[in-house]
């Protein structure tokens, strides 16, 4: 069977990148001045058009085909759930969900997260929950700057508050994400292995069915400490 044959990202990197500390410190010290593009500003406004300004906000950052956004909207019916992805093609492939069956407390929007995160922060918005599920790991050593936690936009992520959850199938990624988040918050950040009895994304299902170990970090940014959800923390 060809389905459950997903491979763990291959990399010569076995631990936290030696340049991560320097990069994160620089991004924390220097403002990110890249102008936001108009289409991202329009997408940001569109994503809030159906929000009543009272419902807690949930952001599914890099939602892909949107299965996770739909599940989150069903799990949190009193929240406004926003699924953001830069690919219009992926957003259109949310089969097998016809529009009539989609939850009414959610919206999909095509936007670049580099701008979207900053626009949300600049607007003074706070998240109740924030999901970064299986982002592109960019596993080559030279690709460090392309990983979210080493990108200049990363300091905006913890500013949005709420319960932040990152999931990945590459241990190095979760180690680096926890390390960078710890630098940004001044707190010790825990991560853990976990099982996914009800996968949130198609990738998560494929990784699980391929027998891979899954990793996650769950951090309440509005609390004093970020602790693991269950046994298995590192």
């Amino acid at each position: 069977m060809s389905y459950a044959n997903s491979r763990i990202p291959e990399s010569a990197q076995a631990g936290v990148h030696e340049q991560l500390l320097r990069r994160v410190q620089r991004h924390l010290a220097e403002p990110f001045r890249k102008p936001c593009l108009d289409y991202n500003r329009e997408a940001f406004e569109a994503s809030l058009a159906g929000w009543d300004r009272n419902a807690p906000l949930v952001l599914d950052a890099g939602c892909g085909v949107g299965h996770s956004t739909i599940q989150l909207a069903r799990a949190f019916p009193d929240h406004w759930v926003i699924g953001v992805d830069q690919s219009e093609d992926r957003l259109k492939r949310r089969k097998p969900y016809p529009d009539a069956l989609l939850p009414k407390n959610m919206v999909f929007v095509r936007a670049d997260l580099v701008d979207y995160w900053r626009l949300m922060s600049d607007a003074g918005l706070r998240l109740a929950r924030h999901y970064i599920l299986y982002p592109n790991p960019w596993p080559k050593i030279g690709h460090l700057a392309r990983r979210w936690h080493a990108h200049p936009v990363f300091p905006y992520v913890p500013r949005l508050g709420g319960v932040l959850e990152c999931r990945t199938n590459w241990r190095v990624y979760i180690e680096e994400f926890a390390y960078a988040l710890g630098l940004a918050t001044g707190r010790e950040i825990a991560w853990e292995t976990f099982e996914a009895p009800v996968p949130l994304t198609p990738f998560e299902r494929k990784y699980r069915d391929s027998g891979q170990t899954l990793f996650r970090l769950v951090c309440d940014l509005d609390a004093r400490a970020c602790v693991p959800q269950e046994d298995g923390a590192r």
Side-chain angles (χ1 to χ4, degrees), residues 1 11 34 45 52 54 56 58 67 77 99 101 106 117 133 143 145 154-155 162 176 184 211 222:
M1 182 176 181
S11 177
K34 178 184 176 182
E45 295 299 330
D52 64 4
N54 292 314
V58 177
H67 291 199
D99 289 345
L101 296 181
M106 56 161 280
W117 274 324
L133 303 175
H143 286 168
F154 185 71
E176 287 191 346
D222 300 322

Side-chain angles (χ1 to χ4, degrees), residues 93-112:
R93 289 190 282 117
R94 56 177 184 266
K95 300 181 293 185
Y97 302 102
D99 289 345
L101 296 181
L102 292 177
K104 304 305 181 185
N105 62 317
M106 56 161 280
V107 64
F108 290 117
V109 61
R110 177 179 174 264
D112 186 339

Side-chain angles (χ1 to χ4, degrees), residues 62-82:
C63 67
V65 296
H67 291 199
S68 51
T69 310
I70 294 168
Q71 291 196 66
L72 291 170
R74 290 173 176 166
F76 301 103
D78 59 341
H79 290 52
W80 182 247
V81 182
I82 305 169

